[in-house]
Amino acid sequence: MNKNRPVNLNLGAFKWPITAISSGLHRITGILLFLSIPFWLWALQESFTADGFVYVKGLLSGIIAKAIAWLLLSMLAYHIVAGVRHLLMDAGIGETLEGGRRGSYTVLVLGVLSAALIGVWLW
Amino acid sequence: MKMKFSIYRYNPDTDTKPRMQDYELEVEEGSDMMVLDALLALKEQDSTLAFRRSCREGVCGSDGLNMNGKNGLACITPLSALKGNTVVIRPLPGLPVIRDLVVDMAQFYRQYEKVRPYLINNDEPPAREHLQSPEDRSKLDGLYECILCACCSTSCPSFWWNPDKFVGPSGLLQAYRFLIDSRDTETQSRLADLDDAYSVFRCRGIMNCVDVCPKGLNPTQAIGHIRSMLLKQGV
């Protein structure tokens, strides 16, 4: 007899409600933003000198670099909005099933909107 | 009308790992049966199929299953509520599988035990009984109805990753049920037991628990109330 019991934990076979998606995205964007901190600090330090500023500016005007910057800024915007929602939930606002769904939906729409606005501002 | 089922199978005597097995069931047109009735009919085709059930009316909490990706009680989930051509039935996620759809609930019960799920009153026993005002009694509504089916805790990622340290939505709902009971005198020590980084605070507000609870309860809110109580006590 096989004593090692298997565990059913197939995340792809699990149905995620919208509240889980908004919360998961908050977590994922948080990790990616944290990992991007060294780059932003480096870019900030570089840009304190006139030559360095021109160098960083040139670096960030490439299409790929710009796309990455757009992605990171969009993630930052989403992370802030979703973070505020979690703070409101800690204060007891939006903790019902309906309230949670509405909050998640609002946060996702605001995230897409701010990504679009950041895109307009960058290009 | 033929309905297709894909069911998680695992027999510890013969299998080294679980597999999905396909079944077909003739369902009368226009009729709507519960998933549990379908499972019982499939068991007539294949008597080796194992699952738990008892009251068949959503009271005992034995037949918590993952149906088309969502946890729920098979006995009160109609087939019509499950979309798609094939109904996929898997055991509750995150708990060790004993056989087929039967999971080992020990981890779940251990967390339940931790919150001391019984009334503690250290005052002198009253002459007749501990009285409670209707207002105080109504604070238990939405908490006492939990049937411990484990649908919520096994849908919770925080519980999946830390089933030994995070009490989980079900246990915390029960914890709050006794924290808010006006007849209980152990509020302080109950809060002290929960005052660490894991027990309560591993809840990330994902709300899978609220989404799946077959009794329509709200563990997220109960957890929020416990946090507020801990906060008030701390300042």
Side-chain angles (χ1 to χ4, degrees):
Chain A
M1 191 172 124
N2 190 0
K3 293 263 185 208
N4 273 335
R5 286 175 174 166
V7 171
N8 165 34
L9 205 53
N10 181 343
L11 300 187
F14 193 83
K15 202 167 118 198
W16 301 92
I18 189 167
T19 50
I21 291 165
S22 70
S23 171
L25 278 177
H26 180 246
R27 179 63 72 86
I28 293 164
T29 53
I31 293 168
L32 292 175
L33 286 168
F34 176 75
L35 292 178
S36 74
I37 288 175
F39 167 74
W40 295 118
L41 284 179
W42 169 83
L44 179 67
Q45 192 194 23
E46 277 299 297
S47 55
F48 282 144
T49 62
D51 286 350
F53 185 83
V54 173
Y55 173 64
V56 172
K57 199 177 173 204
L59 203 68
L60 282 176
S61 53
I63 181 76
I64 295 168
K66 223 173 182 179
I68 293 172
W70 170 74
L71 212 62
L72 285 169
L73 287 173
S74 303
M75 288 197 289
L76 179 64
Y78 175 78
H79 193 76
I80 291 171
V81 180
V84 168
R85 170 175 170 257
H86 278 299
L87 285 175
L88 287 174
M89 280 173 69
D90 281 343
I93 300 164
E95 279 188 326
T96 59
L97 183 55
E98 260 323 295
R101 281 180 184 154
R102 262 203 303 274
S104 293
Y105 185 72
T106 310
V107 160
L108 289 170
V109 168
L110 286 176
V112 172
L113 274 181
S114 37
L117 284 177
I118 291 165
V120 170
W121 174 62
L122 280 181
W123 274 283
Chain B
M1 184 181 64
K2 278 231 184 308
M3 269 197 91
K4 287 189 183 132
F5 291 83
S6 173
I7 300 181
Y8 184 100
R9 300 299 311 270
Y10 171 73
N11 181 341
D13 289 327
T14 55
D15 301 338
T16 48
K17 56 179 205 280
R19 63 201 156 84
M20 299 303 287
Q21 189 174 337
D22 291 333
Y23 292 92
E24 270 192 1
L25 186 69
E26 188 62 44
V27 180
E28 207 178 308
E29 203 75 46
S31 79
D32 195 11
M33 56 165 76
M34 297 296 174
V35 174
L36 178 63
D37 296 319
L39 280 173
L40 288 166
L42 290 173
K43 197 177 168 70
E44 296 202 352
Q45 288 179 23
D46 176 0
S47 61
T48 64
L49 179 63
F51 51 90
R52 286 197 185 105
R53 85 275 180 270
S54 182
C55 77
R56 59 100 186 96
E57 56 185 12
V59 175
C60 73
S62 304
D63 61 352
L65 293 172
N66 186 271
M67 296 161 287
N68 279 4
K70 188 176 174 181
N71 290 357
L73 298 177
C75 55
I76 54 171
T77 305
L79 285 178
S80 60
L82 304 172
K83 292 179 183 76
N85 297 326
T86 309
V87 175
V88 181
I89 303 181
R90 306 170 66 96
L92 290 176
L95 293 178
V97 175
I98 298 172
R99 176 181 171 140
D100 297 344
L101 303 173
V102 179
V103 291
D104 177 2
M105 308 263 285
Q107 285 172 325
F108 174 78
Y109 291 139
R110 221 167 287 134
Q111 294 301 342
Y112 179 54
E113 189 184 9
K114 255 195 210 169
V115 305
R116 291 186 285 165
Y118 38 84
L119 194 84
I120 307 173
N121 189 311
N122 295 323
D123 295 341
E124 264 317 286
R128 295 192 62 179
E129 60 192 306
H130 291 292
L131 291 175
Q132 195 170 38
S133 69
E135 290 74 39
D136 282 337
R137 166 60 188 79
S138 70
K139 288 177 186 164
L140 309 182
D141 290 339
L143 303 170
Y144 79 90
E145 297 94 329
C146 174
I147 56 171
L148 296 172
C149 62
C151 285
C152 60
S153 290
T154 60
S155 73
C156 174
S158 295
F159 187 75
W160 293 340
W161 316 137
N162 290 291
D164 50 339
K165 288 186 264 184
F166 177 50
V167 174
S170 172
L172 289 170
L173 186 96
Q174 296 288 337
Y176 184 62
R177 182 246 171 275
F178 289 99
L179 279 167
I180 201 66
D181 194 315
S182 62
R183 301 162 298 179
D184 194 280
T185 59
E186 281 301 294
T187 313
Q188 292 311 313
S189 76
R190 286 179 189 278
L191 283 175
D193 286 348
L194 295 170
D195 195 3
D196 59 72
Y198 279 93
S199 299
V200 180
F201 291 98
R202 274 283 142 160
C203 168
R204 305 299 194 199
I206 298 165
M207 293 183 86
N208 281 0
C209 53
V210 191
D211 189 56
V212 300
C213 178
K215 308 302 275 186
L217 310 180
N218 190 329
T220 301
Q221 205 156 38
I223 293 168
H225 289 316
I226 299 177
R227 284 172 169 171
S228 301
M229 288 176 93
L230 281 166
L231 182 69
K232 275 190 195 121
Q233 196 197 34
V235 292

